[in-house]
Amino acid sequence: MSDQNNSNQSSKNHATNQATDEQASGRQFTDEELQDLVASSDAGARAPIDQNVAWLISGLALLWSLFQLWIAQPQLWFGQYLPVLNASQTRPIHLTFAIVLAFLAYPAFKKSPRDHIPIYDWVLAIIGGGCTMYIFVFSSTLAFTARSGLPTTTQIVIGSIGILVLLEAARRALGPALTIVGSLFLLYAYMGQGWLIPDLISHEGLSFTAIINAQWLDTAGVFGIPLGVSTAFVFLFVLFGSMLDKAGAGNYFIKLAFAGLGHLRGGPAKAAVVGSAMTGLISGSSIANVVTTGTFTIPLMKRVGFTAEQAGSVEVASSVNGQLMPPVMGAAAFLMVEFIGIPYVEVIKHAFIPAVISYIALVYIVHLEALKKDMPALGESKSFLGMIIKFLVGFAVFGAMFTALIYLVRFLEANMAGAASTIMMVGLLAVYIGLVFVASKRPDLEVDDPNAKEIVVPTVADVYPTGLHYILPIVVLVWFLMVEQQSPAKSAFFATSLMLFIIITQKPLKALFRGGSDFGGQISEGIVDLKEGLIAGARNMIGIGVATAAAGIIVATVTKTPIGTELAGLVEQLSGGVLIIMLILVGIFSLILGMGLPTTANYIVVSSLMASVVVSLGAQEGLIVPLIAAHLFVFYFGIMADVTPPVGLASFAAAAVSGGDPIKTGFTAFFYSMRTVALPFLFIYNPALILYGVDLGTTAGVLQAIWIFVLATFAMLLFAAATQGYFLAKSRLYESAALLVVALTIFLPNVWLDTFQSPFDELPASRFVEAVGAAQPGDRLRLRIAGPDIDTGGTAETTLLMTIEEEGDAQSRIDALGLLLIEDGDAVNLDEPAFGSSAGESLADFDFYGDDPVQIASVQRPADRWPKEIFYIPALLLFAVVVMLQRRRQTKPAF
């Protein structure tokens, strides 16, 4: 009894001390409340006191993870014993788990009970699960009825109830935003016309039966591509991240970043940026990133001189950027594969440079803040430039080792094909055991207290050996994705399988190497960690599963109504036909549509509505915008909704940690994120920034990519200095303007070149065949097409890019594009292009059967011009002038 009293008193003292520390640091929430904040948004805040109910929720989550691993394993060894499920069968099961767990884990309202599940939630869970499982159980019946256009009354009733229950589940798990947007799209599909619906996108309205059939019973709505991506890819990557975090990788990454950067001016802020970048590799949630890294880094940032709002803003900007980092990108990478139809490796290639230079610029921004405020370092100050050099050397060494590994594996496959896989697995096991042995020679990493009176900054040499084995699953993931070029699902399965093995064995192996006797106890702990990791991964997927299903409502509405094709015309009317204004409007629309939605859902919504708008509006202005650039454009702005008030969920989470004002935190974070806002505009006008058209399979292509990366990094650092008003010293207004001009010149030298020299030679349409015949393979011709619009009847224009890909005469090249010419004197009219050709897709909005013909208005071929790099010379001279002016006022080292 005495021991129990002492224990209770100790707990009370601990709680009192913790509350005192938190009050002193200005925090508004305790650690428990912050974890509840994360749970409320990511995993569900309900924690029933009835153990049977708690076990039921955990059991369902565990069963969901096991189901996903079962359908993901690539060998299908069970095919002779159990049926192999296809996509139309796995998606309903996936959504059944998500909906049932949504009602069991998420309370209906803030004041709803969290310690037990009300009866109405049990009813909703059963009804929702029944409506989704109906699609699985009666999939063959649906194929001959609803999906053949003949739904039964029973099916319509089940579909109607299913949509309502799904929207309620989305409201609970994600907030009201997606539910409201989905409901508005359903109303728009049904009504078609009204005083709030512009004439341009109005339609006759779909019948109730047609809407339910398309949205719930068919495979293009709720059970369409977004839910398919969630089922096949996203779950495995979320589970992979959850297992890594449960194993201790999250704390390892934070400690490693703090050890490497904590000694610098503003070191905690730099560590927050780098730690969030690494955490972003294993987390799909901006809010979880903020709370996970922010509870440690934000108090330390405040200790070295950042205000509460600045500290929270740095954490928000770096955590949200974690959603931009390949290979996961908040699951948007996998959706891009499906929506655009390009390989996953291509998505990673295009997304890599913008994400990396954005993080580099953020590190530089917090460095400039530290210089402006003359912030001290924690402990003995070290050189920022020295840290950069060490990082580059380490990156080069890792790259050399990875390259050597590729050659070794290729040698084994060529000379020992039968045994190559076995040798590689044995080698991987040996490396893992060796790295765990190295880790066992040092104490396990503990979570530091950022409010301790004395902060001891660890050294990299002390930290990095303790978690090198966490890198192995990431290397396996990258290996199968990039080297073997396997599917994301198979790659994630192999990486997750290795992670399952690590989480079970790392503690027993450490105990064995340390000479401990509790080997069996450590195995039990490993199994418990495995179980908790599987449960946590599934609970983190509840919101994503529901979000992708609900977002399917928007996707189906876009395909069934004119809004998808006519939104470009609406945006064009609002912008007056000025491309930059169009892009700004699209960015604002993407911000608004993305408010309150998780990464996956906001990308689905904004890409379904806006990506094609960017491409078509660019074409009307003569700018050929790659589809991947348009998707990245809307994705970046959708991500920024996590930052921007009044919603800004990540900003509110950071303010809860820092004790600052959430609205002010949001605006400051948006200011820090200006480089993220600028990047989409830059790669729309200069697709080379996303390595579009760069062949990384050649030495010349790799060198070109390195050159683009170096230039883009330099330009982005100057852009950051210009927006921060500080470079070598506090900048005067004209110096900031000069740095901005230099940065934009390096990013977009073609803008200056286009000002002085026309980019194209204009030819009359009558010379089109001649121009095609004279072109060399690799040349590009631009065709200005004009004719009646199929929807409005008015005159429409667009630009068609024709790439000469092979030798041949003019006619064979024209046939390859799919164009059918009708020469009429000096005019060249067009018949409807060949079905399925690239020209047919690009010219689908023209009416080829009207009274007025569709014709080639003009032909443009690249002009012989100066090299665009010539404008780097005046830009660098202007940069040198700024350097000389600021050197006179410089009072502290720039690095």
Side-chain angles (χ1 to χ4, degrees):
M1 188 69 179
S2 177
D3 290 342
Q4 184 177 358
N5 290 336
N6 290 337
S7 176
N8 291 338
Q9 184 62 41
S10 175
S11 299
K12 291 178 182 178
N13 291 339
H14 174 72
T16 303
N17 292 336
Q18 181 186 2
T20 303
D21 290 341
E22 286 156 354
Q23 186 177 9
S25 66
R27 273 174 50 175
Q28 301 173 356
F29 294 89
T30 65
D31 286 339
E32 289 76 11
E33 289 170 329
L34 287 171
Q35 293 306 318
D36 182 66
L37 176 67
V38 176
S40 298
S41 62
D42 291 341
R46 186 171 277 148
I49 55 177
D50 187 328
Q51 288 301 308
N52 293 324
V53 176
W55 287 340
L56 174 64
I57 295 175
S58 297
L60 285 173
L62 180 62
L63 187 62
W64 191 10
S65 289
L66 295 176
F67 167 75
Q68 294 290 155
L69 288 170
W70 172 52
I71 65 173
Q73 63 86 27
Q75 301 303 322
L76 299 180
W77 54 268
F78 56 84
Q80 57 182 325
Y81 308 108
L82 296 171
V84 178
L85 303 179
N86 58 38
S88 64
Q89 294 171 311
T90 56
R91 293 175 190 180
I93 297 176
H94 179 84
L95 184 57
T96 298
F97 278 113
I99 282 186
V100 171
L101 285 170
F103 287 110
L104 298 184
Y106 287 87
F109 304 100
K110 288 184 178 179
K111 294 183 179 180
S112 297
R114 298 189 176 192
D115 58 353
H116 71 277
I117 301 175
I119 185 64
Y120 56 82
D121 282 349
W122 287 108
V123 172
L124 286 171
I126 293 170
I127 291 174
C131 290
T132 51
M133 282 303 291
Y134 178 87
I135 304 299
F136 168 72
V137 174
F138 295 97
S139 58
S140 58
T141 303
L142 288 168
F144 294 105
T145 54
R147 293 168 188 172
S148 298
L150 301 170
T152 65
T153 303
T154 301
Q155 291 169 348
I156 295 300
V157 171
I158 290 174
S160 304
I161 296 172
I163 290 175
L164 292 174
V165 173
L166 173 62
L167 290 174
E168 168 58 15
R171 185 195 66 80
R172 294 187 180 208
L174 309 165
L178 184 56
T179 300
I180 292 172
V181 172
S183 301
L184 289 175
F185 270 79
L186 289 172
L187 283 173
Y188 164 72
Y190 180 71
M191 297 176 63
Q193 303 175 44
W195 63 276
L196 285 176
I197 301 176
D199 291 338
L200 192 63
I201 60 172
S202 64
H203 62 102
E204 294 182 356
L206 303 176
S207 69
F208 183 80
T209 298
I211 290 173
I212 301 303
N213 192 24
Q215 297 288 2
W216 191 266
L217 304 174
D218 202 355
T219 57
V222 168
F223 299 97
I225 288 176
L227 186 64
V229 171
S230 177
T231 305
F233 307 138
V234 179
F235 192 104
L236 286 176
F237 279 86
V238 171
L239 181 61
F240 176 66
S242 175
M243 301 300 292
L244 261 176
D245 188 52
K246 188 63 184 176
N251 186 44
Y252 172 71
F253 289 154
I254 296 171
K255 282 286 189 73
L256 191 61
F258 189 59
L261 300 168
H263 297 278
L264 308 175
R265 286 176 179 267
K270 295 185 176 81
V273 175
V274 176
S276 294
M278 292 189 288
T279 304
L281 294 173
I282 64 174
S283 172
S285 167
S286 300
I287 298 172
N289 280 7
V290 167
V291 174
T292 300
T293 59
T295 49
F296 176 67
T297 58
I298 287 175
L300 293 179
M301 283 190 262
K302 291 168 67 177
R303 287 179 71 155
V304 297
F306 284 90
T307 66
E309 287 76 18
Q310 285 177 323
S313 300
V314 169
E315 186 58 55
V316 169
S318 52
S319 295
V320 169
N321 262 34
Q323 308 299 290
L324 306 177
M325 283 294 291
V328 179
M329 297 169 60
F334 316 118
L335 290 160
M336 288 181 189
V337 170
E338 298 295 326
F339 288 164
I340 304 173
I342 62 175
Y344 177 79
V345 174
E346 285 292 306
V347 174
I348 302 304
K349 164 189 165 183
H350 296 312
F352 182 74
I353 284 183
V356 172
I357 65 174
S358 184
Y359 260 115
I360 291 173
L362 185 56
V363 171
Y364 187 54
I365 285 172
V366 298
H367 177 70
L368 293 176
E369 288 285 357
L371 289 178
K372 281 194 288 187
K373 294 191 173 185
D374 200 19
M375 294 180 185
L378 290 174
E380 182 183 354
S381 179
K382 294 187 178 181
S383 167
F384 185 32
L385 186 59
M387 287 292 176
I388 294 175
I389 293 173
K390 288 180 181 178
F391 170 77
L392 292 176
V393 170
F395 186 78
V397 171
F398 178 80
M401 293 173 61
F402 195 77
T403 304
L405 178 62
I406 293 175
Y407 281 106
L408 175 61
V409 171
R410 294 291 179 260
F411 173 80
L412 290 174
E413 290 175 341
N415 296 277
M416 306 176 66
S421 298
T422 303
I423 292 173
M424 286 187 286
M425 290 184 65
V426 171
L428 180 64
L429 179 62
V431 171
Y432 165 64
I433 293 174
L435 292 178
V436 174
F437 176 77
V438 171
S440 69
K441 298 306 175 185
R442 289 172 172 78
D444 292 335
L445 296 177
E446 300 290 339
V447 178
D448 290 331
D449 179 10
N451 298 310
K453 293 183 179 180
E454 182 179 354
I455 298 296
V456 179
V457 181
T459 64
V460 174
D462 289 334
V463 175
Y464 87 88
T466 63
L468 283 175
H469 55 290
Y470 298 136
I471 308 298
L472 283 179
I474 299 175
V475 171
V476 168
L477 177 64
V478 173
W479 177 272
F480 280 102
L481 284 174
M482 301 299 184
V483 180
E484 301 293 339
Q485 296 195 7
Q486 298 287 342
S487 69
K490 184 181 288 189
S491 303
F493 176 78
F494 288 134
T496 304
S497 299
L498 177 58
M499 197 61 241
L500 299 179
F501 177 74
I502 288 175
I503 204 169
I504 292 176
T505 60
Q506 64 169 346
K507 287 183 177 180
L509 285 174
K510 285 182 181 179
L512 181 66
F513 292 139
R514 288 168 179 167
S517 57
D518 189 22
F519 188 76
Q522 295 299 318
I523 292 178
S524 299
E525 283 192 28
I527 293 174
V528 170
D529 288 342
L530 172 63
K531 181 191 71 174
E532 292 179 352
L534 291 170
I535 293 172
R539 292 195 64 155
N540 288 337
M541 268 299 300
I542 298 172
I544 297 175
V546 171
T548 51
I553 294 173
I554 289 95
V555 176
T557 304
V558 169
T559 59
K560 298 290 183 180
T561 64
I563 191 170
T565 55
E566 298 301 334
L567 199 60
L570 180 61
V571 175
E572 184 180 14
Q573 286 183 5
L574 293 174
S575 64
V578 180
L579 182 59
I580 187 65
I581 298 178
M582 293 177 190
L583 292 174
I584 291 172
L585 285 175
V586 171
I588 292 172
F589 287 166
S590 300
L591 274 175
I592 294 172
L593 290 170
M595 288 194 302
L597 302 183
T599 302
T600 312
N602 72 34
Y603 169 69
I604 295 169
V605 173
V606 298
S607 63
S608 300
L609 290 173
M610 296 294 176
S612 60
V613 173
V614 175
V615 174
S616 59
L617 294 182
Q620 290 180 24
E621 293 295 309
L623 183 68
I624 306 300
V625 179
L627 188 56
I628 180 65
H631 275 259
L632 287 173
F633 183 93
V634 297
F635 175 58
Y636 269 53
F637 275 97
I639 287 294
M640 288 303 297
D642 269 354
V643 177
T644 314
V647 178
L649 299 178
S651 298
F652 277 84
V657 179
S658 69
D661 178 75
I663 301 298
K664 189 174 180 181
T665 299
F667 281 114
T668 306
F670 185 82
F671 182 70
Y672 286 161
S673 301
M674 285 297 292
R675 77 225 179 278
T676 308
V677 175
L679 273 170
F681 292 96
L682 296 174
F683 54 63
I684 287 291
Y685 283 97
N686 184 10
L689 287 173
I690 58 173
L691 299 182
Y692 184 77
V694 177
D695 184 4
L696 296 182
T698 64
T699 302
V702 172
L703 293 176
Q704 184 184 359
I706 293 172
W707 174 243
I708 291 170
F709 175 74
V710 171
L711 282 180
T713 302
F714 177 59
M716 185 53 74
L717 294 180
L718 295 183
F719 181 85
T723 55
Q724 290 300 114
Y726 194 97
F727 183 44
L728 302 179
K730 186 177 180 180
S731 297
R732 298 190 171 105
L733 189 59
Y734 61 84
E735 291 173 338
S736 292
L739 289 175
L740 199 59
V741 168
V742 174
L744 294 178
T745 300
I746 295 173
F747 272 127
L748 304 171
N750 50 305
V751 172
W752 291 109
L753 183 58
D754 292 347
T755 303
F756 290 97
Q757 288 186 311
S758 175
F760 305 104
D761 290 331
E762 193 93 7
L763 302 176
S766 58
R767 295 185 59 188
F768 170 56
V769 176
E770 174 192 339
V772 172
Q776 299 298 316
D779 288 352
R780 291 184 173 185
L781 299 178
R782 296 157 64 95
L783 310 182
R784 194 73 181 159
I785 310 296
D789 186 279
I790 196 170
D791 294 313
T792 65
T795 301
E797 291 189 357
T798 192
T799 300
L800 181 64
L801 182 66
M802 180 179 183
T803 302
I804 308 299
E805 297 181 350
E806 57 186 21
E807 296 285 355
D809 58 15
Q811 189 58 49
S812 64
R813 291 173 170 178
I814 293 171
D815 291 342
L817 183 63
L819 288 178
L820 301 177
L821 308 183
I822 304 174
E823 296 190 12
D824 183 13
D826 290 338
V828 178
N829 300 333
L830 297 178
D831 200 351
E832 186 172 12
F835 179 76
S837 64
S838 58
E841 295 177 5
S842 301
L843 305 180
D845 293 335
F846 287 94
D847 183 3
F848 290 91
Y849 302 99
D851 295 333
D852 298 323
V854 179
Q855 57 185 206
I856 299 177
S858 65
V859 180
Q860 297 174 333
R861 61 184 178 189
D864 186 15
R865 304 194 295 170
W866 304 330
K868 63 183 180 182
E869 289 78 11
I870 197 170
F871 291 96
Y872 293 161
I873 297 174
L876 293 175
L877 290 174
L878 182 59
F879 172 68
V881 171
V882 174
V883 170
M884 287 190 294
L885 290 173
Q886 294 210 354
R887 282 292 295 271
R888 299 174 183 176
R889 308 195 305 274
Q890 185 178 2
T891 58
K892 55 180 75 75
F895 293 101

